Amino acid sequence: MKVSDLFHYKRPEIKALHLTWIAFYICFFVWFNMAPLATSMLKSVGWLSSDDLRLFAIANVALTIPARILVGMGLDKWGPRRVFSILMVSMAIPAITFAFGETRTQLLVSRLVLSSIGASFVVGIHMTAMWFKPRDIGFAEGFYAGWGNFGSAAAAMTLPMIALNVFGGDDGWRYAIASTAILMAMYGVYYWFAITDGPVGSVHHKPRKVSAMEVSTWADMIKLILWTIPMVGILSVLVWRIEKMGYLDAQWAWVCHAVIAFIVIYQIIQIFKVNLPILRKGVPEDDKYHFNSVAALNSTYFANFGAELAVVSMLPMFFEMTWGLTPTTAGMIAASFAFVNLIARPIGGLVSDRFGNRRFVMLAYMIGIAIGFALMGLMGGTWPLFVAVAVTILCSVFVQGAEGATFGIIPSIKRRITGQISGMAGAYGNVGAVFYLTLYTFVTPSQFFFIIAAGALLSFIVCFFWLKEPEGAFAEEYIVSSVDLALAADQQAGK
């Protein structure tokens, strides 16, 4: 696939790509509509503090974790068209509720529910994988994610201006946020009628069950359990933080911890229910896959997308406070971190396609992230502003490129559970964001950047030992096993 192909709008797969990245762009615009308006909220609402906004930033990524798991299951069962449309329409409700919230609790709860919109990413990843071949998937996924992710940068660049100049007044930020929610709901309705789940006549390979991911060996089942626990367990960190800030009393906090523990136990039971019959029967050789590769990609997305979510949430205020900038100027500069998505993430996928070794590309990007954030950790008010911006952009090139490389690999690992693998890796991006943003409440910005650099270095080590080059990563078609064919035949007979 070439860049010029993106202008061939009449080709069905290109039309699907553009419809899908626009949907993702709108979702990200809504998801990150708070950060650029943070200082406006503080000035217009006397009962909010900067600590409240830091908590809202954590809440803004929290429920994306279980949402991505559930959405991954829904994708394999119902397909991305329905899931994407319903997600966009339903998430407009908490967005509007946040816009007109009148208490700290109302803002926190609505932001927490709205965080589920982050699951939109894996929906588009799955849709794109249904339209494009393995040899082109890296660039297609990178373009989708890069231009969609730009929604966060667009929000940072435009929302302060819209709030101040279009709506104006103390409540300008409220109307700016509400308008983004209405736009998202309208596009969700349009998306339902404008696209199909892959080319007409194509086979949608579905897993036996969607309640848990299938694995190939007994050891892999244990690994899946170990990697499942933090995905939901990380929410206890958020509950602890909410309790410490006085939003919850101790009794209700324990209730929340108990619910989280119940969900973890339930998910482990589902893993056993799905995989025990499969493993006892034996997995055919042509149906096995390397779960270590899934674990390695979980770590990369923890370290790259988790870092992006965390940094985008704090960067506008960091630039504003460190260099004494206005909110609009700080938002524009901070947007440079996400602005690079337009080029860097598609290039990451393209390099993954063209280089001929997706594993090597992944390793190179993770080292680049570690170096980039280490340099950002050295930034301070004595630095010339243009140098700080240049370092921020350089770091972002590696972050976005690594994200593109991650999802250039995922569709080739195991075709029929692409939704669940995407959901798990995507969830770990939000696990990383919650983890990093929680640490941010205790450390300085410089220490924060160094911590993220250490996370990227650790992911590099995990990938070096665990990540395998996927079989058929550059083939004309995705590998279909004997089990895939049998399941597809059963599904067709059922219809």
Side-chain angles (χ1 to χ4, degrees):
M1 183 177 177
K2 297 178 291 186
V3 175
S4 59
D5 291 335
L6 295 172
F7 299 96
H8 297 162
Y9 303 109
K10 292 184 179 181
R11 286 169 51 182
E13 69 273 20
I14 300 301
K15 177 183 176 182
L17 178 61
H18 287 301
L19 286 172
T20 303
W21 79 254
I22 291 172
F24 181 41
Y25 172 97
I26 294 172
C27 289
F28 250 52
F29 195 99
V30 174
W31 193 12
F32 289 98
N33 58 17
M34 183 188 74
L37 298 173
T39 53
S40 298
M41 292 173 64
L42 287 176
K43 293 174 183 176
S44 68
V45 181
W47 37 266
L48 276 179
S49 68
S50 58
D51 285 338
D52 291 323
L53 293 179
R54 286 191 175 194
L55 179 61
F56 296 164
I58 301 173
N60 197 46
V61 297
L63 287 191
T64 306
I65 299 168
R68 286 191 171 187
I69 301 169
L70 295 174
V71 163
M73 297 175 183
L75 289 173
D76 289 330
K77 185 174 180 64
W78 295 300
R81 176 183 66 91
R82 296 173 181 174
V83 174
F84 220 154
S85 296
I86 293 172
L87 189 65
M88 283 188 279
V89 173
S90 61
M91 285 298 104
I93 298 172
I96 293 175
T97 303
F98 179 84
F100 298 106
E102 292 294 344
T103 66
R104 294 195 313 162
T105 302
Q106 187 177 352
L107 292 177
L108 175 64
V109 172
S110 56
R111 206 73 217 177
L112 193 61
V113 176
L114 179 59
S115 67
S116 300
I117 198 175
S120 59
F121 171 71
V122 299
V123 186
I125 285 291
H126 194 74
M127 176 66 88
T128 305
M130 296 181 76
W131 280 96
F132 288 88
K133 307 296 184 183
R135 67 172 186 269
D136 299 323
I137 193 63
F139 178 68
E141 300 280 28
F143 180 82
Y144 153 77
W147 282 64
N149 264 6
F150 182 69
S152 63
M157 291 188 292
T158 61
L159 280 177
M161 179 183 64
I162 293 172
L164 293 174
N165 300 328
V166 176
F167 294 108
D170 290 340
D171 290 333
W173 66 272
R174 296 183 183 275
Y175 296 113
I177 290 176
S179 65
T180 67
I182 294 171
L183 174 65
M184 180 175 64
M186 293 172 62
Y187 193 85
V189 175
Y190 170 73
Y191 193 81
W192 179 281
F193 298 101
I195 198 170
T196 59
D197 290 329
V200 176
S202 61
V203 178
H204 181 196
H205 291 286
K206 300 180 180 180
R208 297 176 179 89
K209 296 181 180 179
V210 298
S211 55
M213 188 185 300
E214 299 174 20
V215 295
S216 302
T217 68
W218 294 98
D220 286 349
M221 184 173 68
I222 301 302
K223 294 173 187 175
L224 175 59
I225 291 172
L226 293 177
W227 281 89
T228 297
I229 294 172
M231 283 198 300
V232 181
I234 191 70
L235 295 179
S236 282
V237 175
L238 176 61
V239 172
W240 168 77
R241 190 60 185 157
I242 292 173
E243 180 191 3
K244 290 296 182 183
M245 293 188 64
Y247 283 85
L248 276 178
D249 59 30
Q251 183 178 356
W252 279 107
W254 278 111
V255 170
C256 292
H257 288 305
V259 170
I260 292 168
F262 172 80
I263 294 172
V264 171
I265 293 170
Y266 174 80
Q267 192 59 40
I268 292 173
I269 292 172
Q270 294 306 308
I271 291 173
F272 282 122
K273 283 186 175 181
V274 169
N275 286 288
L276 286 178
I278 296 173
L279 296 175
R280 285 169 180 163
K281 183 179 179 181
V283 180
E285 285 299 320
D286 70 339
D287 196 49
K288 292 181 177 180
Y289 71 97
H290 298 285
F291 183 81
N292 278 358
S293 291
V294 177
L297 295 174
N298 290 345
S299 79
T300 65
Y301 222 59
F302 179 103
N304 55 48
F305 190 63
E308 180 187 354
L309 291 182
V311 170
V312 166
S313 298
M314 54 76 69
L315 208 55
M317 187 174 292
F318 169 69
F319 272 102
E320 182 178 345
M321 299 301 182
T322 304
W323 280 275
L325 306 175
T326 64
T328 301
T329 303
M332 293 285 288
I333 293 175
S336 63
F337 192 89
F339 186 87
V340 179
N341 262 307
L342 289 175
I343 300 174
R345 190 151 183 170
I347 288 177
L350 186 62
V351 169
S352 183
D353 287 342
R354 299 289 177 82
F355 196 80
N357 188 323
R358 298 192 190 275
R359 177 179 178 274
F360 177 83
V361 172
M362 190 77 259
L363 290 170
Y365 270 119
M366 296 314 296
I367 281 292
I369 293 174
I371 295 172
F373 276 116
L375 290 174
M376 289 186 70
L378 299 174
M379 293 193 314
T382 58
W383 281 41
L385 183 59
F386 77 92
V387 175
V389 173
V391 170
T392 300
I393 292 174
L394 176 65
C395 181
S396 182
V397 166
F398 285 100
V399 172
Q400 321 300 348
E403 293 166 6
T406 297
F407 280 88
I409 296 174
I410 283 177
S412 298
I413 293 178
K414 190 62 185 170
R415 180 62 171 166
R416 73 171 178 271
I417 57 172
T418 295
Q420 290 170 307
I421 296 175
S422 298
M424 189 176 199
Y428 262 92
N430 288 83
V431 172
V434 172
F435 177 79
Y436 288 138
L437 283 171
T438 301
L439 287 180
Y440 179 56
T441 61
F442 300 103
V443 299
T444 66
S446 293
Q447 292 170 333
F448 179 65
F449 293 134
F450 281 126
I451 289 171
I452 295 177
L457 183 60
L458 181 60
S459 175
F460 168 84
I461 296 171
V462 172
C463 287
F464 184 84
F465 289 103
W466 283 3
L467 184 61
K468 305 292 184 184
E469 183 70 16
E471 186 180 355
F474 302 96
E476 179 69 22
E477 297 290 346
Y478 291 100
I479 292 176
V480 179
S481 71
S482 58
V483 175
D484 291 320
L485 295 174
L487 289 173
D490 290 343
Q491 291 164 8
Q492 194 64 32
K495 291 181 181 179

